[in-house]
Amino acid sequence: MGSLTSDQLDGNSGLVINPLDPEEFRRQAHMVIDFIADYYKNVDKYPVRSQVEPGYLRKRLPECAPYNPESMETILQDVQEHIVPGVTHWQSPNYFAYFPSSGSIAGFLGEMLSSGFNVVGFNWISSPAATELENIVMDWLGQMLKLPKSFLFSGNGGGVIQGTTCEAILCTLTAARDRVLNKIGRENISKLVVYGSDQTHCALQKAAQIVGIDLKNFRAIKTTKSSSYGLSPDSLLTQINLDVEAGLVPLFLCATIGTTAITAVDPLKPLCDVAKQFGIWVHVDAAYAGSACICPEFRHFIDGVEGADSFSLNAHKWFFTTLDCCCLWVKDPSALVSSLSTNPEYLKNKATESKQVVDYKDWQITLSRRFRSLKLWLVIRNYGVANLRHFLRSHVNMAKLFERLVASDKRFEIVFPRKFSVVCFRVSPSAVMDKLKPKYENCHSQQLITEEEAINEFNRELLESINASGKAYMTHAVCGGIYAMRFAVGATLTEERHVMVAWTMVQEQLEAFLTTNTPFN
């Protein structure tokens, strides 16, 4: 295969002849780097949540692809004019929604290196450095977390970088399924039961559906305020005993460190003790909060992990490594390989046959894979453990600051305990119910609603007004029937001043809301 010649392209002398010409790459890449640097410099000036309406982009772009090439200058101008307005700015210092997607220079440049090499590292021979660096960096991060040696390559376990937690759970659940079915017969798949809590991420249910678990055998065990919405070991044991009595087979438990809604923590050790009695595979989902556990003061949240079979965290959430980078460790890599391996003739090679290398294609769903370890390696090396801990602690301290600000205003209340850098709060019922009562008693076409529903609706509309302002972006949680606003600190550019400004804006929105808005319209 060679480069296209000009006569093949209608004789247009302005066409790019070689799509990977080094000097043209250098010229255009500088333009893109300048564009992104300017974007970061000015990102706080954009409305945090995109203000566009559905379908906006189709109205702005041509109906057909261009026949002849367009310059990078023209394309970047269109990015600024048409794409940026439709971007929700996750890197904004005023972004406090969902969980963070914290970026960094090292993470970005690592992504550039990965894209530049553009290797397809499905097995060792396809690019030895891609496999071996991933082996090494996963052991590094595991050591930073003080994971048991049994999870590391140095202890006969091992780590792999997946795309997301959804993939990590799917892979481990598949391995758990096959391990059990190989013992009891594949015809008994309808007896397998998967356990989580009502706070567990929906990725578990999706994975269960994909691997063939009967929907009626999916257990989302109810949590309560008394356990701070963590999964109760007693509730788990009760449910398992009921399932065993019904002739079902307990298979898989997903315990969470830092749940999606309110960052609740499941008690690992007692849950693992229960699971061990029944031979249940325990996966620990620490997608968000796992990164904080490199700090000694947070490590206790994963005490008991030695009883689990697998553990994962998302470095692309709160570890300054660009999406996607989900780090998964397993005690028994052979369980993954047994379920996920293929060995077609066209992939056979001496290195694989020697059994001395890792072929990561057999640790994941897809065959092809990116050189993700480069960006994680750059992040760890360029900042070092000390700085990474400092970054994480600064975010927790800013969350503590916001928590104190909320507590200082009697119109607001903290709804759920803060454990990491997410503060769940709301307008207190006592502050607004007198004003709301005449409205909620006659709202929604005369349909009567409860006081709790009224205060939930009030907070929902207040949050929407905050987000519509473009000055900050937060999302919500509903737990125990209570609607709470979530203030999640973790954007790399966020500083204390942004937290202070956000809080002032929340107060101002409430005051304006109370005086000018009619709730439940």
Side-chain angles (χ1 to χ4, degrees):
M1 294 177 66
S3 300
L4 298 172
T5 59
S6 58
D7 63 323
Q8 292 173 299
L9 296 169
D10 299 340
N12 189 329
S13 60
L15 295 173
V16 175
I17 303 303
N18 187 339
L20 204 55
D21 176 77
E23 292 310 313
E24 186 61 20
F25 171 75
R26 191 188 312 277
R27 184 187 75 84
Q28 293 190 28
H30 277 295
M31 294 169 55
V32 174
I33 290 292
D34 285 343
F35 180 92
I36 295 171
D38 288 342
Y39 168 75
Y40 287 150
K41 185 177 180 179
N42 297 300
V43 68
D44 62 332
K45 297 180 175 64
Y46 296 110
V48 187
R49 190 184 72 178
S50 175
Q51 307 291 300
V52 302
E53 297 295 327
Y56 90 99
L57 194 55
R58 187 169 291 279
K59 299 173 184 177
R60 298 188 181 200
L61 298 187
E63 292 185 3
C64 301
Y67 183 73
N68 288 318
E70 301 179 56
S71 70
M72 185 57 65
E73 291 88 344
T74 298
I75 297 169
L76 286 178
Q77 183 178 350
D78 283 349
V79 171
Q80 183 64 53
E81 292 180 4
H82 304 311
I83 303 302
V84 171
V87 170
T88 290
H89 300 284
W90 287 64
Q91 304 309 310
S92 170
N94 302 310
Y95 179 93
F96 304 105
Y98 303 108
F99 283 133
S101 179
S102 58
S104 67
I105 296 170
F108 181 85
L109 297 181
E111 189 72 64
M112 284 185 64
L113 281 173
S114 175
S115 296
F117 291 133
N118 199 27
V119 304
V120 186
F122 41 76
N123 59 11
W124 181 88
I125 197 66
S126 67
S127 204
T131 294
E132 296 197 10
L133 183 61
E134 191 160 333
N135 295 169
I136 291 166
V137 79
M138 287 299 289
D139 267 9
W140 279 9
L141 184 52
Q143 291 163 2
M144 291 163 63
L145 291 162
K146 298 192 184 307
L147 290 181
K149 195 171 183 179
S150 55
F151 280 105
L152 310 182
F153 284 104
S154 55
N156 297 319
V160 55
I161 301 178
Q162 305 275 357
T164 67
T165 297
C166 297
E167 296 169 47
I169 293 176
L170 178 56
C171 288
T172 52
L173 181 53
T174 302
R177 178 201 64 187
D178 289 350
R179 186 175 69 175
V180 170
L181 290 182
N182 287 339
K183 296 177 182 177
I184 67 173
R186 302 195 75 84
E187 68 276 9
N188 289 306
I189 189 171
S190 62
K191 296 181 180 180
L192 301 182
V193 186
V194 170
Y195 302 89
S197 81
D198 57 2
Q199 300 302 309
T200 303
H201 194 278
C202 61
L204 179 63
Q205 183 174 357
K206 178 179 283 190
Q209 292 172 198
I210 292 172
V211 304
I213 303 300
D214 193 319
L215 265 179
K216 68 176 183 290
N217 290 349
F218 180 81
R219 307 284 183 254
I221 299 171
K222 183 176 176 57
T223 59
T224 62
K225 185 177 181 180
S226 63
S227 64
S228 298
Y229 296 98
L231 176 56
S232 161
D234 289 339
S235 297
L236 174 64
L237 180 58
T238 298
Q239 183 61 62
I240 292 174
N241 282 330
L242 289 172
D243 290 332
V244 171
E245 290 171 10
L248 301 177
V249 180
L251 172 68
F252 189 92
L253 166 67
C254 182
T256 308
I257 307 300
T259 58
T260 303
I262 64 169
T263 68
V265 174
D266 292 337
L268 285 189
K269 189 177 187 312
L271 289 174
C272 288
D273 289 343
V274 171
K276 186 176 181 181
Q277 299 176 40
F278 301 90
I280 296 172
W281 181 301
V282 179
H283 176 73
V284 179
D285 171 15
Y288 156 68
S291 298
C293 295
I294 69 166
C295 301
E297 64 269 30
F298 295 113
R299 174 57 178 75
H300 68 92
F301 285 114
I302 59 171
D303 284 353
V305 69
E306 62 276 4
D309 297 273
S310 52
F311 177 92
S312 65
L313 66 81
N314 286 349
H316 57 250
K317 275 192 169 69
W318 200 16
F319 205 73
F320 313 98
T321 307
T322 51
L323 188 74
D324 49 0
C325 190
C326 174
C327 301
L328 167 67
W329 291 266
V330 291
K331 280 183 176 177
D332 181 13
S334 68
L336 287 181
V337 172
S338 177
S339 288
L340 303 173
S341 64
T342 53
N343 190 30
E345 183 62 35
Y346 51 82
L347 293 181
K348 291 180 179 179
N349 62 87
K350 289 183 179 179
T352 295
E353 292 166 1
S354 74
K355 307 293 184 183
Q356 295 180 354
V357 300
V358 171
D359 286 343
Y360 273 127
K361 70 180 180 64
D362 299 330
W363 295 47
Q364 62 179 31
I365 302 299
T366 63
L367 173 67
S368 300
R369 64 194 326 269
R370 301 172 59 243
F371 198 167
R372 295 187 184 103
S373 58
L374 262 178
K375 55 188 174 184
L376 186 56
W377 188 52
L378 260 69
V379 166
I380 294 173
R381 288 193 64 190
N382 201 219
Y383 302 121
V385 177
N387 272 317
L388 290 168
R389 287 174 174 168
H390 171 74
F391 298 152
L392 293 163
R393 286 166 174 153
S394 70
H395 291 156
V396 173
N397 287 335
M398 284 187 276
K400 289 179 178 178
L401 168 62
F402 189 83
E403 185 178 41
R404 291 194 298 271
L405 292 169
V406 172
S408 69
D409 188 329
K410 293 181 179 179
R411 297 174 299 175
F412 294 87
E413 63 182 7
I414 302 296
V415 183
F416 307 110
R418 180 203 53 77
K419 289 185 172 66
F420 303 100
S421 66
V422 176
V423 180
C424 295
F425 72 107
R426 69 172 180 173
V427 176
S428 171
S430 62
V432 295
M433 283 311 300
D434 286 346
K435 294 183 177 64
L436 287 181
K437 194 171 184 179
K439 296 173 182 176
Y440 82 75
E441 286 181 341
N442 297 293
C443 72
H444 296 316
S445 303
Q446 307 303 313
Q447 182 179 356
L448 208 61
I449 62 174
T450 67
E451 289 189 7
E452 192 62 57
E453 289 171 332
I455 194 63
N456 283 350
E457 185 66 19
F458 181 87
N459 279 279
R460 183 180 293 109
E461 294 193 7
L462 175 61
L463 178 60
E464 177 54 33
S465 73
I466 291 168
N467 291 336
S469 75
K471 297 176 182 177
Y473 185 28
M474 296 181 289
T475 47
H476 74 279
V478 177
C479 192
I482 297 175
Y483 183 99
M485 294 177 278
R486 294 170 74 261
F487 188 84
V489 182
T492 308
L493 295 173
T494 301
E495 300 173 0
E496 281 193 4
R497 61 190 176 92
H498 300 108
V499 174
M500 298 292 293
V501 168
W503 172 242
T504 299
M505 189 270 296
V506 169
Q507 291 178 305
E508 291 173 349
Q509 287 289 324
L510 173 61
E511 289 161 7
F513 203 64
L514 288 173
T515 56
T516 64
N517 196 45
T518 301
F520 319 137
N521 283 341

